[in-house]
Amino acid sequence: MDVTIYEVAQRAGVSIATVSRTLRGTGPVASKTREKVLKAVEELNFTPSRLGVSLAEGRHAANGIVFPNLSGPYYTEVLLGYEEVASELGRSVLILSTTGRTRVRDLVKDLAGRVDGLLIFGHTAPDDVIAELIQVGMPLVFVSREPLAGADTLRAENTASARLLAEHLALHGYERFAFLGAPLVTGDDVDERWQGVRSVLGAAIEAVPTGHYTVDDGHQAALRLLRSGDRPRAIICSDDEVALGALLAAEELGLAVPDDVAVTGWDDIMAARHARPALTTIRQPMRELGARAARALDELITAARSTPNHLTLTTELVIRASCGHHPQEEPR
Amino acid sequence: MDVTIYEVAQRAGVSIATVSRTLRGTGPVASKTREKVLKAVEELNFTPSRLGVSLAEGRHAANGIVFPNLSGPYYTEVLLGYEEVASELGRSVLILSTTGRTRVRDLVKDLAGRVDGLLIFGHTAPDDVIAELIQVGMPLVFVSREPLAGADTLRAENTASARLLAEHLALHGYERFAFLGAPLVTGDDVDERWQGVRSVLGAAIEAVPTGHYTVDDGHQAALRLLRSGDRPRAIICSDDEVALGALLAAEELGLAVPDDVAVTGWDDIMAARHARPALTTIRQPMRELGARAARALDELITAARSTPNHLTLTTELVIRASCGHHPQEEPR
DNA sequence: CAACCTCGTGTAAGCGCTTACAGAAAAGGA
DNA sequence: TCCTTTTCTGTAAGCGCTTACACGAGGTTG
């Protein structure tokens, strides 16, 4: 990464413009000249400097992504879908994890200065930074967040799936419910799930907060909940990790799942399938979220589209053992 | 991201050199001048272009990382440790996932052109590309791979831990073993684990390959293995995901774990703790691997060190239920 | 008060590339 | 043969920044 276009030009006996044209295929080059150039490139093992190219082109050929953390497969899967498509489109991906970070503002702004577009999860970036980015016209796609003017938003369906889940549980005959992992931010995925289940179960469901959406916090909160005098018959959790924590708590207290208490999750992470009892949960198309985000960003960057899109992907209810046997269904 | 240093200079009534000096704190600037400059910067909302800075400085202020995929927490955790430290050191992180990719060579070379240093997992990059990178002096750190001349290598201990695990299982009184997830590449982590267990169990253990180190492939291979006439008494798996597959297979065949067949994993991923029975496994310091890699890379990039380092971190045997009750230990 | 520092600032030369523009050479047409 | 096209190639002006170097203006010092 040391040899420059000048050395190639000199060796080939041409100007740097000709070298550039040969390599990029822009403009005409006599085949004899082309050969000379390619030979010199080969001999010197020349690779154009990304920095030089980007500066001259005025674009980074890179996308950024801002997520809280990578614990659990949700962000991971979205990230992979995103990276794969970005890569196909000739862009690199720069990552930024915000959990436990101070100076998130600066980090996001720095990242924005290195890319042509940004995927941002939920509310991981400060609102004023976002406003600023929208203002300067930085292409932005948000995932897992309520629609926002001036930028694309993309999410998996929550409310209707939550209703479906709640109705399914209600048909089991359960009467008292808890929603473990109460929403922390208005308008995010968890909030929509909560709104969905509550619209079906009404006063029969109570919101129980956890500190974070993690196994440990789910575990602690579930312990408190299940020890309390009148414990719910079913616990709908904000996501699978919290649900795994609830499973642990139940086991610890000697409660049988689903016979004493039913538990459901959300996301269908790998551990959900391997937990005992296996978790009833809602699967969302994580990979596809990432892939779509990359495509949307590409449209915005290349100015193929200028008006924001807001898209919602569908989800799937995955019924396993943890919600109990459905009275109207055949056992399997 | 539109305003340049020229506009700031003009507005402040100074030269661009002074603006640069003010912002970077290099060289002396009269406090009155500084104020004028900062005021102009503020008013114009100026942020220096990364491209311009990088080109002039001759460095990217970015690190790369090459991994196969992000399924399971191993790569994920290493990645997070890496990103956190890189970020502290003022570097961004560019990612490249190789699983399922064609043109990995080109992708790696492109990535290398965008960063000051690279973390590469195992054998995810073609050998000749690696040789080339070493040759041009690109700072490189390898994780989960045998030591390589000319670059840092970093890994968690395998052989001794594998011996420990094997000895532990032998003390259970088991006599016939299988190693599920036979090594595919000489010198990688899995190979070392295999060497370790075999050095203890000798002919009593048989290597059984899986296609990939995934739950599904582990599942399929375990089904074949457990259906065969003389099935092993204990299955040592290359990693937790394969072990989860084995657990599924056993359940499917009506075999009790650990009473009919014992199973162990490696990594201690989240699902290992939540599986039933919970998996006996080996925990490795994934986060720390990433953090150390970032620091090592920093040393190499800043030329604080020039001779390669080869480091091995220690691991921990985590005994849970899936290996069976140890005859000489108290039940817990 | 002359000689010498220091401090503060500007000038200009890069860093490695792309590309508009212009000129030269080759090719075609009358 | 001379003029018009077409094809190819070079020149040079950026892209946005850093920094070595030079220079002028006050401050010190003996």
Side-chain angles (χ1 to χ4, degrees):
Chain A
M1 317 306 173
D2 225 349
V3 21
T4 72
I5 198 174
Y6 288 93
E7 301 167 45
V8 175
Q10 188 172 13
R11 178 158 197 136
V14 300
S15 74
I16 59 169
T18 301
V19 176
S20 177
R21 279 190 287 256
T22 305
L23 262 26
R24 321 196 93 217
T26 81
V29 177
S31 64
K32 235 176 164 170
T33 312
R34 186 199 325 284
E35 273 174 34
K36 281 192 302 186
V37 171
L38 292 179
K39 185 154 166 285
V41 165
E42 176 83 11
E43 289 170 357
L44 295 173
N45 193 21
F46 169 70
T47 312
S49 148
R50 250 323 322 165
L51 252 20
V53 174
S54 286
L55 187 57
E57 284 186 335
R59 60 186 210 117
H60 300 268
N63 287 6
I65 180 169
V66 182
F67 50 78
N69 59 66
L70 249 28
S71 79
Y74 175 68
Y75 298 113
T76 299
E77 285 293 313
V78 178
L79 172 57
L80 284 180
Y82 184 68
E83 194 266 342
E84 178 165 2
V85 171
S87 182
E88 273 169 22
L89 296 170
R91 299 185 209 285
S92 296
V93 172
L94 306 239
I95 62 172
L96 171 59
S97 165
T98 60
T99 296
R101 287 290 175 73
T102 54
R103 306 179 24 248
V104 171
R105 308 174 42 80
D106 298 338
L107 294 174
V108 172
K109 287 183 81 165
D110 179 73
L111 178 61
R114 295 165 171 270
V115 300
D116 303 315
L118 229 40
L119 158 52
I120 300 179
F121 275 104
H123 292 263
T124 46
D127 285 348
D128 59 325
V129 175
I130 290 175
E132 202 173 312
L133 292 177
I134 290 179
Q135 209 265 314
V136 299
M138 161 76 56
L140 253 32
V141 172
F142 290 89
V143 171
S144 177
R145 144 170 204 153
E146 75 279 8
L148 180 69
D152 274 33
T153 58
L154 194 56
R155 70 193 319 178
E157 203 290 312
N158 284 305
T159 316
S161 330
R163 282 210 196 92
L164 196 64
L165 176 64
E167 281 158 8
H168 179 83
L169 290 177
L171 284 178
H172 280 269
Y174 306 146
E175 299 190 336
R176 296 207 43 260
F177 301 83
F179 185 86
L180 191 62
L184 302 171
V185 181
T186 301
D188 75 350
D189 277 349
V190 172
D191 187 38
E192 289 204 337
R193 293 169 198 169
W194 161 242
Q195 301 295 343
V197 296
R198 201 180 46 172
S199 74
V200 171
L201 301 174
I205 189 164
E206 161 199 20
V208 178
T210 59
H212 300 275
Y213 303 121
T214 61
V215 174
D216 281 343
D217 286 10
H219 182 196
Q220 297 304 324
L223 276 181
R224 278 193 300 277
L225 177 65
L226 294 175
R227 274 181 183 139
S228 70
D230 55 351
R231 60 160 198 267
R233 181 60 185 82
I235 304 181
I236 300 177
C237 300
S238 55
D239 66 36
D240 284 348
E241 298 186 56
V242 169
L244 290 173
L247 249 32
L248 287 180
E251 185 179 20
E252 210 168 313
L253 298 177
L255 295 171
V257 177
D259 295 339
D260 293 326
V261 56
V263 173
T264 67
W266 200 293
D267 282 346
D268 196 20
I269 70 176
M270 182 168 61
R273 176 176 151 208
H274 295 282
R276 288 297 171 268
L279 268 183
T280 289
T281 187
I282 304 243
R283 179 181 303 150
Q284 45 175 329
M286 306 183 276
R287 207 98 171 188
E288 190 182 351
L289 277 174
R292 293 230 185 201
R295 294 233 153 72
L297 224 31
D298 188 60
E299 294 172 6
L300 294 173
I301 293 170
T302 60
R305 171 164 63 80
S306 61
T307 55
N309 261 180
H310 303 282
L311 195 64
T312 301
L313 306 185
T314 58
T315 59
E316 181 190 356
L317 173 60
V318 180
I319 298 179
R320 296 205 182 92
S322 73
C323 62
H325 175 57
H326 198 299
Q328 309 185 342
E329 281 174 10
E330 293 300 309
R332 45 178 289 253
Chain B
M1 317 304 173
D2 225 349
V3 21
T4 73
I5 198 173
Y6 288 93
E7 301 167 46
V8 176
Q10 187 171 12
R11 178 158 199 136
V14 299
S15 73
I16 59 168
T18 299
V19 175
S20 177
R21 277 191 289 255
T22 304
L23 261 27
R24 322 195 92 218
T26 80
V29 177
S31 62
K32 236 175 162 170
T33 312
R34 184 198 326 284
E35 274 173 35
K36 281 192 302 186
V37 171
L38 293 180
K39 185 155 166 288
V41 165
E42 176 82 11
E43 289 169 356
L44 296 173
N45 193 21
F46 170 69
T47 312
S49 147
R50 260 296 354 148
L51 251 22
V53 174
S54 286
L55 186 56
E57 283 185 336
R59 61 188 210 112
H60 300 267
N63 287 5
I65 180 167
V66 182
F67 50 79
N69 59 67
L70 249 28
S71 79
Y74 174 68
Y75 299 112
T76 299
E77 286 292 312
V78 178
L79 172 57
L80 284 180
Y82 183 67
E83 195 265 343
E84 177 163 4
V85 172
S87 182
E88 274 170 21
L89 297 170
R91 297 185 209 287
S92 296
V93 172
L94 306 237
I95 62 172
L96 171 59
S97 166
T98 61
T99 296
R101 289 289 174 75
T102 55
R103 307 178 23 248
V104 172
R105 310 174 40 80
D106 298 338
L107 293 174
V108 172
K109 289 182 80 165
D110 179 71
L111 178 60
R114 294 166 172 270
V115 299
D116 303 314
L118 228 41
L119 158 52
I120 301 179
F121 275 102
H123 292 264
T124 46
D127 286 348
D128 59 325
V129 175
I130 290 175
E132 202 173 311
L133 292 177
I134 290 179
Q135 209 264 314
V136 300
M138 162 75 58
L140 252 33
V141 172
F142 290 90
V143 170
S144 177
R145 142 168 205 155
E146 73 280 8
L148 180 68
D152 274 32
T153 57
L154 192 58
R155 69 192 320 177
E157 203 290 314
N158 284 306
T159 317
S161 330
R163 282 209 196 92
L164 197 64
L165 177 63
E167 282 159 6
H168 178 84
L169 291 177
L171 284 177
H172 280 269
Y174 305 147
E175 297 189 337
R176 296 208 43 259
F177 300 83
F179 185 87
L180 190 63
L184 303 172
V185 180
T186 301
D188 75 350
D189 277 348
V190 172
D191 188 37
E192 289 204 338
R193 294 169 197 170
W194 162 242
Q195 301 295 343
V197 296
R198 201 180 47 173
S199 74
V200 170
L201 302 174
I205 189 164
E206 162 200 18
V208 178
T210 59
H212 301 275
Y213 303 121
T214 62
V215 174
D216 280 343
D217 285 11
H219 182 197
Q220 297 305 324
L223 276 181
R224 279 193 300 277
L225 176 65
L226 292 175
R227 274 181 183 139
S228 71
D230 54 353
R231 60 160 199 267
R233 181 60 184 81
I235 303 180
I236 300 177
C237 299
S238 54
D239 65 35
D240 284 348
E241 298 185 55
V242 170
L244 291 174
L247 249 33
L248 287 180
E251 185 179 19
E252 208 167 314
L253 298 177
L255 295 171
V257 177
D259 294 338
D260 293 325
V261 55
V263 173
T264 68
W266 200 293
D267 284 346
D268 196 19
I269 69 176
M270 182 170 59
R273 176 175 152 209
H274 296 283
R276 289 293 171 271
L279 266 184
T280 289
T281 188
I282 304 241
R283 179 183 303 150
Q284 44 175 331
M286 306 181 276
R287 206 97 171 189
E288 189 182 350
L289 277 174
R292 293 228 186 204
R295 295 232 151 73
L297 223 32
D298 188 61
E299 293 171 8
L300 294 172
I301 292 169
T302 60
R305 172 163 63 79
S306 60
T307 55
N309 260 180
H310 302 285
L311 194 64
T312 301
L313 305 184
T314 58
T315 59
E316 181 190 356
L317 174 59
V318 179
I319 298 179
R320 297 205 181 93
S322 73
C323 63
H325 176 56
H326 198 300
Q328 306 185 343
E329 279 174 11
E330 295 299 311
R332 42 181 290 254

